[in-house]
Amino acid sequence: MSDNVPSPYRGRFAPSPTGRLHLGSLVAALGSWLLARHHHGTWLVRMEDLDPPREVAGAAEMQLATLAAFGMTSDEPVVRQSARHDLYGNALARLLASGNAFECRCSRSDLAAAGGIHRHCVASDPTRAPAIRLRVPDDTVVSFEDGLQGTVEQRVDREVGDVVLRRADGFWAYQLAVVVDDADQGITDIVRGADLLDSTPRQILLQRALGLPTPRHLHLPLIVDADGHKLSKSMASLPIDDDAPLPALRIAWQALGQPVAVLDGAPTVAAALRIATREFLPDRLPKVTSLTFAAAHNNAAAGAV
């Protein structure tokens, strides 16, 4: 396994169809799109629709329509995880055959005393349908250099434990699916929100177990309040207005640390994106974004200029 990634640049935006896109997801989409354009690369959209109990009917189509309204469409056909079960099954079979994965019948209540972290099986019901977990050896430390957040290190065995790859209900876990998809699509650069930063070490560990390359990572800023706390879920989930995209586009641009005045006067989304592509500087990306964007977000959600 090599950590070297190929060129040219291939990035992606991968939402889950659990509702309409909101400011946080727009910032992630725009940031990943701009970085792909900055590097003259390819930008893909992948729909992570592997959790039917959480999905909202029609949400995938709404999200794609929102991206289109903001001038961002996938450079290749949109991939849907729900059509890729064979790929995940093949990867899981390899992990089981190599001894890197194992069956586990532990429930959440079984692991409660250990804070939910699995280090050895303590199942109270041997007849329970098994999950499949990645075997994480003792003293497993994974570190990587994030393109924005700097050096990240995680003691995976103590902080995460043995990672679920397929749930007891039969659904694929996010960690396995995202690793398999990124490799299959040739993704060289993963750009996403910093709320997924702590998932990266376990994904790197899984890439190593499968002999897959590790892409470069850049985790975009979370939107926080004046005290540095993550923006409340209710505010973060305010939908953006597809019919009046320019205000929200300017807010997302500013949230990425770019000078908002650059986009003033752009009459259309297409014109704004042309300017943004020309003027975007990755060195301006902040590690966090202040609550000052929340009030503007409320206006953008309402379509105000």
Side-chain angles (χ1 to χ4, degrees):
M1 192 281 300
S2 172
D3 284 344
N4 294 327
V5 292
S7 58
Y9 185 110
R10 286 175 66 84
R12 48 61 160 188
F13 175 61
S16 298
T18 55
R20 292 177 58 188
L21 296 184
H22 50 75
L23 179 61
S25 48
L26 177 62
V27 170
L30 181 62
S32 63
W33 187 90
L34 285 168
L35 280 160
R37 294 295 177 260
H38 180 78
H39 292 285
H40 308 289
T42 300
W43 186 75
L44 308 180
V45 176
R46 179 170 69 230
M47 198 57 60
E48 298 194 334
D49 55 349
L50 281 181
D51 195 352
R54 295 183 60 243
E55 290 171 20
V56 173
E61 288 67 31
M62 286 190 293
Q63 290 177 349
L64 293 173
T66 295
L67 290 173
F70 281 82
M72 293 178 283
T73 57
S74 183
D75 293 327
E76 296 177 5
V78 174
V79 163
R80 297 175 187 260
Q81 288 185 329
S82 57
R84 299 164 70 80
H85 295 288
D86 288 348
L87 283 175
Y88 311 139
N90 290 339
L92 188 64
R94 289 168 53 199
L95 292 167
L96 287 165
S98 67
N100 284 311
F102 63 96
E103 288 191 351
C104 170
R105 289 179 167 81
C106 297
S107 66
R108 289 184 180 180
S109 58
D110 291 330
L111 299 174
I117 295 175
H118 187 284
R119 295 309 301 140
H120 59 276
C121 285
V122 292
S124 58
D125 180 4
T127 66
R128 185 176 185 269
I132 306 295
R133 292 180 180 270
L134 177 70
R135 195 182 305 279
V136 178
D138 291 341
D139 302 319
T140 295
V141 178
V142 173
S143 63
F144 69 98
E145 195 68 24
D146 186 82
L148 180 59
Q149 306 299 331
T151 302
V152 177
E153 182 175 282
Q154 186 179 81
R155 178 73 183 267
V156 184
D157 59 326
R158 293 184 179 179
E159 297 178 44
V160 178
D162 298 316
V163 180
V164 173
L165 305 175
R166 191 184 69 196
R167 294 165 18 187
D169 58 12
F171 294 127
W172 298 109
Y174 164 75
Q175 307 296 350
L176 176 66
V178 71
V179 163
V180 170
D181 286 334
D182 284 338
D184 181 69
Q185 293 187 280
I187 300 301
T188 65
D189 290 79
I190 295 173
V191 177
R192 58 190 178 187
D195 53 330
L196 289 169
L197 189 63
D198 69 349
S199 284
T200 303
R202 70 195 81 172
Q203 291 168 14
I204 292 174
L205 197 61
L206 184 52
Q207 286 157 353
R208 293 172 179 172
L210 286 167
L212 301 175
T214 294
R216 294 177 288 260
H217 290 83
L218 189 151
H219 286 81
L220 294 167
L222 295 178
I223 299 174
V224 299
D225 63 21
D227 297 319
H229 301 130
K230 185 178 176 181
L231 197 65
S232 70
K233 188 173 182 180
S234 60
M235 295 182 74
S237 64
L238 289 171
I240 50 184
D241 186 355
D242 296 7
D243 296 326
L246 277 171
L249 186 63
R250 287 196 290 266
I251 294 164
W253 169 257
Q254 190 178 6
L256 292 169
Q258 310 301 307
V260 68
V262 166
L263 301 187
D264 287 351
T268 64
V269 166
L273 288 182
R274 283 195 297 272
I275 296 169
T277 300
R278 184 180 69 240
E279 299 294 333
F280 175 68
L281 290 178
D283 289 348
R284 290 175 173 159
L285 289 169
K287 291 187 177 182
V288 294
T289 296
S290 167
L291 175 65
T292 53
F293 295 102
H297 175 219
N298 292 337
N299 291 335
V305 176

